[in-house]
Amino acid sequence: MDYVDPKRKGNYVGKIFLAAALTALCIIMIKRSPSLNPPSPFSIHEPGVTHVLVTGGAGYIGSHATLRLLKDFYRVTIVDNLSRGNLGAVRVLQELYPEPGRLQFIYADLGDKESVNKIFSENKFDAVMHFAAVAYVGESTLDPLKYYHNITSNTLLVLESMAKYGVKKLIYSSTCATYGEPEKMPITEGTEQKPINPYGKAKKMSEDIILDFSKNSKMAVMILRYFNVIGSDPEGRLGEAPRPELREHGRISGACFDAARGITTGLKVRGTDYKTADGTCIRDYIDVTDLVDAHVKALEKAQPGKVGIYNVGTGKGRSVKEFVDACKKATGVNIEVEFLPRRPGDYAEVYSDPSKINLELNWTAQYTDLEKSLQTAWKWQKSHHNGYGISSAI
């Protein structure tokens, strides 16, 4: 009677499993073979295409900058850890520009050196627009170490990777807070920088690092010090949607809209005893569309081995009371206002002299009607009661 030797049968089955495993391994290796898979368009330098890394591109200003860059046919990579940004803004941009090679989003923290290095090693960037930063004056006085880590340390890591991988153009998002509280107005680029809060100090430290590095490199650098940002995309595609837990520290425009929508019981104005005409702070309010335009012009005009430093503002100061009146008109809501003591780290009067950027970059603010800018932003707020409506959790 015939029978199968169990040892021979076991060997036979083992050989089948081995063959299957080797086949699967070969398939995986073939799929991963660079010769059979075309490289990602983001990983190569393509003639005629400028690839811009936008850090913080899921945030309020960064998302608007990304929209403008995509509109102007730039290739864009957004890097954001979504601690302040909105995944919903990224989704909007992806839906507007779904074509391959236009936009990619990378979830990463710029404080993680390995992650930053990996991003630069796997992508070929022509320029960096560095927006990513925590940016609330009041919060910076309560948690200064967070601000020095997030702004200064992270900028250093980005700069190191730019140097390592040969990225030769940097547009740095700075702030008028680096000036502190100058005795003379308006503020020019030559005004002495004496920041009075950790936010301004951290930004100035970052500027100093960039300037020191640029002395021995051929990097093209543009530093834009801008003032108080308001408004939103005129076509209603993007807006400002800050974290609910950060409302206390946020921009006055967001606070006005929250009060107008009944999210908060009223608007809190901090400080009515400043040495100004009506006792409230004076600020230079710049529309986000104008601000983005300044960034694109800076990108276009940046020259190797040169550093450009520019104030980005309207050149006109408006008091907080004037702003509140404009917000009431824009929303049509008689917002209740509560006047409180000064906020630590604030300064009485800050507005820019934009002459230099007007002359050298041919940039002038176009959206200077405060009420109209607020109307545009309010229109987005009314149609987006829950911000972008999706969680930023990954």
Side-chain angles (χ1 to χ4, degrees):
M1 183 171 66
D2 294 333
Y3 68 91
V4 178
D5 185 342
K7 292 182 179 179
R8 292 178 60 191
K9 183 178 180 181
N11 290 338
Y12 179 70
V13 173
K15 289 178 180 178
I16 291 175
F17 277 117
L18 179 60
L22 289 171
T23 301
L25 181 61
C26 287
I27 291 171
I28 292 171
M29 291 179 68
I30 289 170
K31 284 184 176 181
R32 291 183 177 180
S33 171
S35 61
L36 296 177
N37 287 300
S40 162
F42 297 95
S43 67
I44 58 174
H45 285 298
E46 188 175 332
V49 177
T50 301
H51 184 186
V52 182
L53 166 62
V54 179
T55 70
Y60 169 45
I61 300 171
S63 62
H64 282 78
T66 299
L67 178 61
R68 170 62 187 272
L69 289 169
L70 290 167
K71 181 182 176 183
D72 290 357
F73 301 101
Y74 287 88
R75 175 173 290 158
V76 180
T77 292
I78 290 174
V79 173
D80 203 301
N81 68 0
L82 301 179
S83 63
R84 300 288 164 99
N86 290 278
L87 189 59
V90 178
R91 293 280 189 265
V92 169
L93 294 166
Q94 289 171 331
E95 290 170 4
L96 289 170
Y97 295 92
E99 301 88 355
R102 295 303 314 280
L103 171 67
Q104 71 169 337
F105 170 65
I106 299 174
Y107 174 73
D109 192 321
L110 295 179
D112 184 334
K113 186 173 184 177
E114 290 185 7
S115 294
V116 175
N117 188 70
K118 185 173 186 288
I119 290 166
F120 276 84
S121 69
E122 294 179 354
N123 296 276
K124 298 296 184 184
F125 302 121
D126 298 295
V128 175
M129 279 192 182
H130 185 28
F131 293 100
V134 286
Y136 296 133
V137 168
E139 185 189 38
S140 78
T141 64
L142 299 173
D143 194 354
L145 296 184
K146 173 194 280 190
Y147 274 68
Y148 293 120
H149 273 294
N150 181 273
I151 295 174
T152 311
S153 297
N154 290 6
T155 297
L156 179 58
L157 291 180
V158 170
L159 201 60
E160 286 175 339
S161 285
M162 288 181 69
K164 182 177 180 180
Y165 292 98
V167 183
K168 298 294 187 182
K169 192 175 289 189
L170 172 64
I171 314 301
Y172 183 63
S173 166
S174 193
T175 170
C176 64
T178 63
Y179 294 114
E181 194 168 12
E183 295 180 1
K184 184 180 177 181
M185 289 290 142
I187 293 173
T188 71
E189 290 77 3
T191 299
E192 185 180 1
Q193 291 176 288
K194 294 192 294 185
I196 63 173
N197 53 62
Y199 170 55
K201 291 175 183 178
K203 282 288 189 179
K204 184 181 183 301
M205 287 181 187
S206 296
E207 285 192 19
D208 290 341
I209 292 169
I210 292 167
L211 293 173
D212 284 342
F213 173 73
S214 69
K215 291 174 184 176
N216 297 307
S217 80
K218 294 183 179 180
M219 187 177 289
V221 174
M222 291 291 204
I223 295 173
L224 302 184
R225 297 172 183 157
Y226 42 90
F227 290 66
N228 294 64
V229 188
I230 59 170
S232 63
D233 170 44
E235 295 183 38
R237 295 163 293 185
L238 297 170
E240 183 180 8
R243 290 277 189 277
E245 66 271 18
L246 295 170
R247 283 194 170 99
E248 182 181 349
H249 302 293
R251 294 180 178 86
I252 186 174
S253 54
C256 278
F257 295 145
D258 284 345
R261 290 168 55 191
I263 295 173
T264 57
T265 55
L267 175 65
K268 296 177 181 179
V269 172
R270 298 184 181 275
T272 58
D273 59 347
Y274 290 100
K275 292 180 180 179
T276 59
D278 62 23
T280 62
C281 296
I282 291 177
R283 297 290 182 265
D284 189 340
Y285 296 99
I286 176 76
D287 192 287
V288 68
T289 302
D290 283 328
L291 179 60
V292 164
D293 184 52
H295 280 79
V296 174
K297 281 187 166 61
L299 179 63
E300 293 170 347
K301 293 183 179 291
Q303 297 296 318
K306 301 285 183 66
V307 177
I309 299 175
Y310 301 98
N311 290 335
V312 188
T314 64
K316 183 177 182 180
R318 312 283 183 88
S319 76
V320 170
K321 281 186 178 178
E322 286 181 281
F323 186 96
V324 172
D325 289 341
C327 193
K328 288 179 179 180
K329 291 177 182 177
T331 61
V333 178
N334 187 23
I335 300 166
E336 183 180 337
V337 181
E338 180 183 2
F339 295 99
L340 299 171
R342 296 185 185 190
R343 183 176 62 175
D346 261 343
Y347 22 78
E349 187 176 24
V350 176
Y351 62 95
S352 71
D353 176 355
S355 300
K356 184 181 177 186
I357 193 170
N358 295 165
L359 179 65
E360 296 184 8
L361 300 189
N362 192 30
W363 176 91
T364 303
Q366 302 297 315
Y367 296 82
T368 56
D369 187 314
L370 183 58
E371 188 178 333
K372 285 185 179 179
S373 289
L374 291 173
Q375 283 175 344
T376 301
W378 175 240
K379 186 177 181 180
W380 189 89
Q381 293 285 330
K382 285 197 299 181
S383 61
H384 295 78
H385 290 291
N386 297 314
Y388 286 99
I390 66 171
S391 170
S392 287
I394 294 294

